[in-house]
């Protein structure tokens, strides 16, 4: 077909070119075979060299055939075709400008060039799409391969890297479209198909997921520019908008790519309107539809968020279209709209120079953000807090909003969502960092200046008001204000008859000035009628007096009256204006012009006004700063409670917040800094590292000009932490310092300065010297050589003889020296003997001397010192028992000497008296030696025996001759292992026998103190000194730790003291001692466990706290069997002391991690706490059970508990128990299966639903189930609710009938009587508690086993604790070895008791 005779129509599908579509339409004549393609391509290339781009008109079939066989042809041919087509189109684009500029171009030539253009573009674009399709399929098949392997596969497939070839093709097409090619078409209107052909390939390229990769950035830019040309020159906006919306819905990776393209079109190509078109399309999407189409919503949301970041000013004009999505269900869209608003506030609506409209828009956006801080969705709330954090960090939040947004953040700290709490803390931290008030935010420091400046402002205002009283209002302005009403009143008086009016009478002695002043006062009071009447009288009365004599008869009466009244009211000012010179002349020597006064004082008045404005601003600034610091203080109280949350990220945010608050001088922040110390023991590495980083920031980088100044500041800071620090705080700080020392983060200057302060080489107080020794001891744990190399120096610092002796310093010296040795039990792989010092070492001489000399002095610090001294002797000395025996002997000898001194002949020789403090010191010392001797035997001696045995076995193994066969050798090694285990047992038995048989034997020194200890403990009346009793009880506990036999014989005494002693400190000490005994001799203490639980209800706060700690330790370590008495621990959840309640909560938190422990205990706890005889009140019961039932999370546990609690309704005795059971049921996390269980047991509680509180409790279950119910489950919920309401209504009707009929309802059929027999009896005897004890139906059931009720009894009877049926094979049940053998029965009144 001749080129001049046809038109090339762009097909929708390639197959259309194979058949005729109309008159003169181009049709492919023949699809060439693969074998002929290379030769035909060469022919095409030859024709191109001869004819140029027009050769395509004759050889299009060749290109079409290559496209048709694209998957089958050789990669080399594909590459040649692509390279050749690029050359053809490039050549055509170079020739076209000249052709288009040719005015003489005829229709035929124009048609030829148009067909050439279409064919060239069609061929190149279809080839591009073919390459792209094959590449996409290959990449999907090679997902698991690495980058280099993928690249190699791509090159093997195409013969080249296709991703690098796309950009030149797109640039070529862009260059072509930039030409004025519309002249090739009729009427210069380009057909839509051509534009769709070019842009369609761009959209297909964008669909490839790899287009968003960084390496494809040039391709993305080329696509954007090609589409930009189509938009500006070829009216592509509508199509582009529709296509972008479709692609956002279906391709998640395209949001950032399309944002980059749209922002490019809006900025470089001037196509801002496309932003509005796209936003209009998104805004018109139905919010309900987007709630179902989550992928589309995500795409739109990502697009909006990133577009707002790039072109917020362009997007802002279309924001009103998106507001409907703020009320939609899809939270992702809400987040996107809110993020867009925040970006506009940050980039467009920021600054103080905004116009009124822009300021209003900004305020509306901020109002919307604040409102969504209370959104129902936690992700939206957290997003709002994040956005406000950015706004605050960029200082874009107006000062007037500070208080409101801070209040929002503080309120969100109590949010249920952990994520919201985390971002609320971040927002408050940003407020602290970017606050415009002060670098030190102490509310106490700000309160003083605020009060002072406020008082100053009030004084300035009062002074200004006093000075401005004479000229409060300008008379001229006041006259103009009253003139309309005055004129109206005058007209009425002049036209209407005045017979009824009572005229104002002028007294005879009154002067014209007095009348004028009276008229002025009436006008000022707005009494216009009286003023006019009085003026009329004055005109007639004072015809010759000013100003009444100036009435002009020719002037209208109304005008002359008004002028006269104006002159009277305004005074001389009116005449001054008319005749200023005359008025000045008429003034006397003592008069001045009223208008001159303001002019004279104008600068002073202006200055005073400026000062007042400045003072108001200062007061407002101080008020804002003070309010901000109060809010931060309030936040600190809430945030500090979040420090021990389970979520690591929240804890890290809390720690960072307190660091920042401390740096900004908030006084309460120190509390948080100290409170984070125990987190150093956290099992989470992130939390531990956060604590270390916090202390690095706060303490390791102090300000100072030199290393020594920095070291001094660091020591001062750490010393402040030690002030009034508890033992736990000191241990935490020691761990932190140990970590710093091990990582060499403490400079040598710190250690040097500490030694100088300890040795008093630099002037310092005794307290600073002591704190320096403490810090050195803490550092010694990380590097023992810090103290080990200066041992003699330390001894001379704290243990040398002084007067008075500083036992606090001596105690810290002992602690520091003790850190140079390893306190742990020596492990078997150690080959070297443990570090010990000889008995003759000066350290032990000084310790022995200080303990024995201080024994006779009543110094309260001696007791803790001698405890540390005895511990150090056993820790470091060779043969410590000898040293301590000498100390005991010398102290006992001194006590006897004191006793002999006091027993004079005048007194009764049978009753010698010894000072209480001496006896207390002696018993305390004996107890410490006894305990340390036990520890020494079980750790040091036992470890040394093991070490020597291992060395001996190794030596024997080396010297033994090798055996002939391997099997015998293996057998010997196994036997050696068995021998080793037997040897361990033998050594343990040896240590035990020493403790049992020898330590408290009559030959040992410790045994001499046993009778004395027992005598003091058995005679509290005789030995009534509280400190002595406490020391004796502790000593008895320590002696009991040695021997099981001795412990067994003295347990009754210990527990008697625990129960009967009137001293809280003694009960607390014994509680600790018995806890230790329960770990050492669990079988002996087990029968006494109820007495341990009983201390949880001790009246003394100190004892309850100690008991809670001890029982927590014992139960969690499985040293005490968990029984129903754990309900005593549950009662502590409502303890009035917050610390004790926190301990109880922590106990149950930990217990919840131990399998099904809480589930197994719940039935007993409920029974005990709801018992009318020994339970708790109803409201506290609810508080306790709400906490405990929150640990029930497994569906199986919930179902089982529902069944048990429902069955429990049958055997409950009182209305209170019914309500308690209903409340417990309502607190369980229900599922559909749990509801089915409740429906199965509906008969158990149906007759109790007449009670309003029980009915409401079950209704709350229904409301819980409805929240997340599936459509198929709603029918069961509806059925359950209907049954509830029916039983509730029927129950109320029955009560009314009973009250009216007074028992007539008992005459009902027997079948109904059996089902309702319990209710009338309960209701009829409502005034008597005795009838509630044992319900009558149970007795009836027992007496008549053959009645119909026998069948109901066969239902699975649910009981509690260890009485549970073994037939219920639930994973939550206790195993046999976990079940307590001695259970406490549920207290319930039996029938026998009531019969008797």
């Amino acid at each position: 077909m001749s080129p001049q005779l046809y038109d090339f129509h762009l097909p929708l599908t390639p197959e259309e070119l194979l058949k005729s579509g109309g008159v003169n339409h181009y049709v492919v004549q023949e699809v060439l075979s693969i074998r002929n393609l290379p030769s035909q391509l060469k022919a095409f290339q030859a024709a191109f060299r001869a004819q140029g781009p027009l050769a395509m008109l004759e050889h299009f079939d060749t290109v079409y055939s290559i496209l048709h066989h694209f998957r089958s042809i050789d990669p080399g041919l594909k590459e040649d075709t692509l390279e050749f087509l690029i050359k053809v189109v490039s050549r055509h684009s170079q020739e076209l400008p000249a052709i288009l500029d040719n005015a003489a171009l005829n229709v035929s030539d124009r048609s030829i060039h148009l067909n050439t253009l279409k064919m060239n573009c069609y061929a190149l674009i279809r080839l591009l799409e073919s390459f792209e399709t094959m590449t996409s399929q290959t990449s999907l098949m090679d997902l698991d391969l690495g980058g280099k392997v993928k690249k190699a596969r791509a090159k093997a497939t195409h013969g080249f890297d296709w991703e690098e070839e796309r950009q030149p093709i797109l640039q070529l097409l862009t260059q072509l479209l930039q030409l004025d090619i519309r002249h090739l078409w009729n009427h210069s209107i380009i057909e839509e198909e051509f534009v769709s052909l070019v842009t369609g390939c761009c959209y297909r390229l964008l669909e490839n997921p790899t287009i968003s990769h960084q390496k494809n950035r040039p391709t993305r830019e080329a696509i954007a520019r090609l589409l930009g040309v189509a938009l500006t020159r070829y009216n592509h906006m509508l199509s582009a908008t529709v296509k972008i919306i479709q692609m956002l819905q279906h391709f998640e990776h395209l949001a950032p790519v399309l944002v980059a393209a749209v922002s490019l079109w809006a900025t470089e190509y001037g196509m801002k309107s496309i932003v509005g078109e796209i936003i209009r399309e998104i805004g018109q999407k139905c919010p309900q539809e987007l709630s179902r189409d989550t992928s589309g919503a995500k795409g739109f949301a990502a697009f909006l968020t990133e577009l707002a970041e790039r072109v917020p000013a362009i997007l802002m004009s279309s924001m009103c279209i998106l507001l409907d999505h703020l009320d939609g269900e899809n939270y992702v869209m809400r987040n996107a709209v809110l993020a867009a608003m925040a970006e506009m506030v940050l980039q467009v609506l920021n600054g103080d120079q905004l116009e009124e409209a822009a300021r209003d828009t900004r305020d509306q956006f901020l109002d919307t953000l604040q409102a969504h801080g209370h959104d129902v969705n936690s992700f939206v709330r957290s997003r709002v807090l994040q956005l406000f954090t950015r706004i605050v960090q960029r200082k874009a939040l107006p000062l007037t909003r500070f208080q409101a947004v801070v209040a929002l953040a503080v309120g969100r700290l109590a949010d249920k969502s952990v994520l919201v709490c985390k971002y609320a803390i971040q927002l408050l931290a940003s407020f602290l960092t970017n606050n415009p008030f002060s670098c030190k935010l102490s509310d106490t420091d700000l309160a003083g200046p605020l009060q002072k400046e406020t008082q100053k402002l009030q004084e300035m205002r009062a002074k200004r008001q006093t000075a401005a009283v004479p000229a409060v209002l300008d008379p001229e302005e006041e006259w103009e204000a009253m003139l309309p009403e005055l004129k109206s009143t005058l007209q009425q008086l002049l036209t209407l008859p005045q017979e009824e009016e009572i005229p104002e009478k002028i007294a005879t002695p009154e002067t014209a000035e007095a009348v004028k002043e009276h008229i002025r006062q009436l006008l000022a009071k707005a009494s216009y009628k009286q003023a006019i009447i009085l003026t009329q009288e004055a005109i007639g009365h004072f015809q010759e007096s000013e100003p009444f004599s100036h009435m002009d008869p020719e002037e209208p009466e109304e005008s002359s009256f008004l002028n006269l009244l104006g002159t009277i009211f305004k005074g001389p000012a009116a005449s001054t204006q008319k005749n200023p010179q005359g008025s000045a002349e008429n003034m006397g020597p003592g008069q001045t012009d009223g208008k001159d006064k303001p002019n004279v004082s104008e600068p002073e008045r202006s200055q005073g006004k400026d000062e007042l404005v400045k003072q108001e601003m200062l007061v407002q600034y101080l008020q804002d700063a003070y309010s901000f610091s109060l809010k931060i203080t309030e936040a600190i109280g809430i945030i500090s409670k979040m420090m021990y949350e389970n979520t690591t990220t929240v804890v890290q945010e809390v720690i960072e917040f307190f660091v920042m608050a401390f740096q900004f001088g908030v006084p309460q922040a120190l509390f948080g800094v100290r409170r984070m110390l125990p987190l150093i023991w956290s099992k989470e590495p992130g939390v531990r590292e956060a604590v270390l980083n916090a202390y690095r920031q706060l303490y390791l980088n102090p300000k100072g000009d030199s290393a020594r100044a920095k070291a001094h500041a660091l020591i001062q800071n750490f010393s402040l932490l030690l002030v009034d620090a508890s033992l736990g705080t000191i241990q935490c700080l020691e761990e932190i310092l140990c970590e710093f020392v091990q990582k060499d983060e403490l400079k040598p200057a710190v250690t040097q300065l500490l030694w100088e302060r300890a040795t008093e080489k630099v002037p310092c107080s005794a307290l600073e010297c002591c704190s320096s020794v403490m810090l050195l001891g803490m550092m010694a744990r990380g590097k023992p050589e810090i103290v080990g190399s200066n041992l003699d120096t330390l001894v001379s610092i704290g243990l040398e003889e002084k007067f008075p002796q500083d036992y606090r310093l001596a105690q810290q010296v002992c602690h520091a020296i003790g850190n140079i040795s390893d306190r742990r039990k020596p492990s078997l792989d150690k080959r070297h003997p443990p570090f010990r010092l000889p008995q003759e070492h000066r350290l032990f001489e000084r310790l022995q001397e200080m303990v024995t000399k201080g024994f006779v002095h009543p110094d309260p610090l001696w007791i803790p010192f001698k405890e540390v001294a005895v511990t150090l002797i056993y820790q470091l000395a060779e043969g410590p028992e000898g040293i301590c025996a000498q100390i005991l002997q010398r102290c006992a000898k001194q006590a006897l000497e004191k006793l002999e001194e006091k027993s004079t002949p005048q007194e009764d020789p049978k009753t010698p008296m010894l000072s209480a403090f001496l006896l207390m010191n002696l018993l305390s010392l004996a107890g410490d030696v006894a305990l340390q001797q036990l520890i020494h035997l079980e750790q040091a001696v036992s470890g040394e025996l093991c070490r020597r045995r291992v060395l001996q076995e190794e030596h024997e193994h080396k010297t033994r001759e090798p055996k002939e066969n391997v099997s015998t050798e293996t057998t010997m090694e196994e036997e050696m292992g068995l021998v080793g285990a037997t040897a361990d047992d033998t050594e343990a038995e040896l240590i035990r026998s020493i403790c049992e048989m020898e330590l408290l034997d009559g030959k040992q020194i410790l045994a001499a103190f046993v009778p004395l200890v027992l005598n003091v403990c058995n005679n509290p009346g005789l030995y009534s000194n509280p400190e002595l009793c406490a020391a004796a009880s502790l000593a008895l506990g320590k002696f009991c730790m040695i021997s099981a036999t001795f412990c067994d014989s003295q347990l009754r005494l210990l527990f008697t003291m625990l129960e009967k002693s009137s001293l809280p400190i003694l009960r607390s000490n014994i509680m600790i001692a018995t806890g230790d005994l329960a770990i050492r001799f669990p079988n002996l203490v087990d029968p006494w466990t109820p007495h341990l639980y009983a201390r949880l209800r001790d009246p003394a706060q100190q004892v309850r706290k100690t008991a809670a700690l001890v029982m927590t330790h014992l139960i969690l370590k499985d040293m005490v069997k968990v029984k129903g008495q754990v309900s005593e621990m549950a009662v502590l959840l409502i303890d009035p002391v917050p610390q004790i309640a926190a301990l109880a909560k922590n106990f149950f938190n930990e217990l919840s991690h131990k399998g099904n422990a809480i589930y197994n205990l719940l039935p007993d706890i409920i029974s005990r706490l709801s018992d009318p005889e020994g339970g708790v009140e109803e409201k506290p019961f609810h508080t306790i059970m709400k906490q405990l039932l929150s640990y029930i999370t497994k569906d199986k546990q919930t179902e089982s508990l529902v069944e048990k609690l429902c069955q429990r309704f049958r055997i409950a005795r009182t209305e209170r128990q019914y309500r308690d059971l209903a409340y417990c049921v309502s607190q369980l996390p229900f599922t559909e299966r749990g509801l089915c269980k409740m429906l199965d047991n509906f008969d158990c509680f149906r007759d109790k639903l007449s009670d309003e509180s029980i009915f409401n409790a079950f209704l709350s279950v229904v409301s819980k189930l409805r929240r997340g119910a599936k459509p198929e489950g709603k029918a069961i919920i509806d059925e359950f609710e209907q049954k509830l309401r029916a039983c509730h209504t029927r129950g109320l009707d029955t009560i009314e009938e009973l009250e009216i009929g007074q028992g007539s309802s008992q005459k009902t059929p027997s079948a109904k009587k059996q089902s309702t027999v319990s209710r009338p009896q309960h209701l009829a005897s409502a005034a008597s508690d005795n009838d509630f004890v044992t319900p009558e139906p149970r007795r009836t059931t027992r007496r008549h086993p053959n009645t119909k009720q026998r069948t109901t009894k066969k239902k699975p009877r649910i009981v509690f604790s260890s009485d549970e049926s073994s037939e219920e094979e639930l994973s939550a049940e206790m195993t046999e070895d976990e079940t307590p053998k001695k259970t406490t029965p549920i207290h319930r009144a039996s029938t026998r008791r009531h019969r008797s």
Side-chain angles (χ1 to χ4, degrees), residues 572 582-594 596-597:
S583 65
E585 291 170 1
N586 294 332
M587 285 181 189
Q591 294 176 324
T592 57
D593 187 2
D596 291 340
K597 285 184 180 179

Side-chain angles (χ1 to χ4, degrees), residues 523-751:
L523 288 172
K525 294 177 183 177
S527 302
Y528 303 136
K529 187 181 292 186
Q530 285 83 355
I532 293 168
I533 294 168
L534 184 59
T535 306
Q536 287 174 336
E537 291 293 324
I539 290 171
H541 202 276
F542 302 107
Q543 293 180 353
E544 297 179 357
S545 302
E546 291 289 341
F548 304 108
S549 60
H550 285 288
M551 291 291 290
D552 190 355
E554 296 181 1
E555 192 176 1
E557 187 177 5
E558 182 182 340
S559 301
S560 61
F561 238 96
L562 287 174
N563 290 336
L564 176 59
L565 289 171
T567 305
I568 293 169
F569 183 75
K570 291 185 283 186
S575 57
T576 304
Q577 290 174 357
K578 292 179 182 178
N579 188 9
Q581 294 179 354
S583 65
E585 291 170 1
N586 294 332
M587 285 181 189
Q591 294 176 324
T592 57
D593 187 2
K595 293 269 298 182
D596 291 340
K597 285 184 180 179
N599 293 334
V600 172
S601 61
E602 190 66 33
E604 295 177 6
R605 186 176 295 182
S606 176
Q607 184 180 357
K609 188 175 181 181
D610 291 344
E611 289 178 359
L612 182 65
V613 170
K614 288 179 182 178
Q615 187 66 22
E616 287 174 345
M617 292 174 66
L618 176 60
V619 170
Q620 186 62 46
Y621 166 80
L622 289 172
Q623 182 63 52
D624 290 344
Y626 181 68
S627 302
F628 180 70
S629 66
L630 283 180
K631 280 291 180 186
I632 293 296
T633 304
E634 180 188 347
I636 283 176
I638 301 171
I639 294 173
S640 63
K641 297 175 184 176
M642 302 164 66
M643 196 170 284
Y644 293 91
E645 286 282 344
N646 294 327
T647 312
T648 302
T649 53
V650 173
V651 177
Q652 290 171 331
E653 291 294 340
V654 170
I655 292 171
E656 290 178 14
F657 174 81
F658 274 111
V659 170
M660 195 170 296
F662 185 80
Q663 290 172 339
F664 274 90
V666 181
Q668 294 79 3
L670 183 60
F671 168 73
V673 171
R674 283 191 172 185
R675 200 164 188 264
M676 74 174 70
L677 273 170
L679 291 173
I680 192 64
W681 310 107
S682 174
K683 296 176 183 176
E684 290 288 340
V687 175
R688 177 182 167 87
E689 192 59 36
V691 176
L692 289 171
N693 285 333
Y695 276 82
R696 280 191 190 99
Q697 291 180 50
L698 295 177
Y699 294 104
L700 290 194
N701 299 307
K703 295 179 181 178
D705 300 330
S706 61
R708 187 173 180 84
K710 289 181 178 180
H712 184 268
L714 185 147
I715 292 168
Q716 283 294 111
N717 291 337
F718 273 116
S719 299
L720 285 175
L721 278 177
L722 295 174
V723 176
D724 298 329
S726 65
L727 181 60
T729 301
I730 291 172
Q731 288 176 342
C732 297
L733 196 59
E734 183 177 353
E735 180 69 15
I736 290 174
L737 276 174
C738 176
E739 190 81 19
F740 290 161
V741 169
Q742 288 174 348
K743 293 180 179 179
D744 291 325
E745 295 185 52
L746 288 177
K747 301 292 187 292
V750 176
T751 309

Side-chain angles (χ1 to χ4, degrees), residues 97-251:
I99 296 168
L100 294 171
D101 291 340
N102 186 5
L105 188 68
N106 57 37
V107 176
S108 175
D109 291 342
R110 181 167 56 79
S111 176
I112 289 172
H113 284 290
L114 177 60
N115 286 335
T116 304
L117 175 66
K118 288 182 182 180
M119 286 182 171
N120 285 337
C121 289
Y122 178 82
L124 181 61
I125 288 170
R126 287 287 175 254
L127 190 61
L128 182 150
E129 291 176 353
S130 299
F131 273 111
E132 185 66 21
T133 303
M134 183 168 287
T135 305
S136 299
Q137 292 174 351
T138 307
S139 63
L140 287 173
M141 294 167 60
D142 299 341
L143 281 176
D144 298 332
L145 301 177
K148 291 184 178 179
V149 180
K150 279 187 183 179
K151 211 166 191 179
R153 284 285 294 270
K155 284 191 176 181
T157 304
H158 303 304
F160 61 97
D161 187 2
W162 164 244
E163 291 179 347
E164 295 176 359
E165 295 294 328
R166 290 182 299 197
Q167 184 191 0
I169 298 172
L170 293 168
Q171 289 174 340
L172 179 59
L173 291 172
T174 305
Q175 180 184 347
L176 191 63
L177 287 186
Q178 285 174 334
L179 300 175
D180 203 6
I181 58 174
R182 68 177 185 277
H183 295 303
L184 295 177
W185 275 268
N186 290 329
H187 308 295
S188 297
I189 299 174
I190 296 179
E191 59 186 289
E192 184 66 29
E193 289 81 2
F194 182 79
V195 178
S196 299
L197 172 71
V198 178
T199 57
C201 78
C202 296
Y203 297 127
R204 275 185 280 277
L205 286 173
L206 288 174
E207 291 174 5
N208 189 343
T210 61
I211 197 70
S212 59
H213 295 177
Q214 181 62 29
K215 64 179 180 180
N216 292 324
R217 183 178 177 182
T219 305
R220 293 198 302 271
E221 291 181 354
I223 292 172
R225 295 192 178 278
L226 177 54
L227 290 173
V229 172
L231 284 166
T232 52
R233 299 176 66 90
Y234 299 104
N235 197 22
H236 182 59
M237 183 182 293
L238 181 61
S239 301
T241 303
V242 174
K243 193 66 182 176
I244 286 171
I245 294 296
Q246 290 175 351
M247 296 176 80
L248 284 173
Q249 284 181 289
H250 297 99
F251 301 98

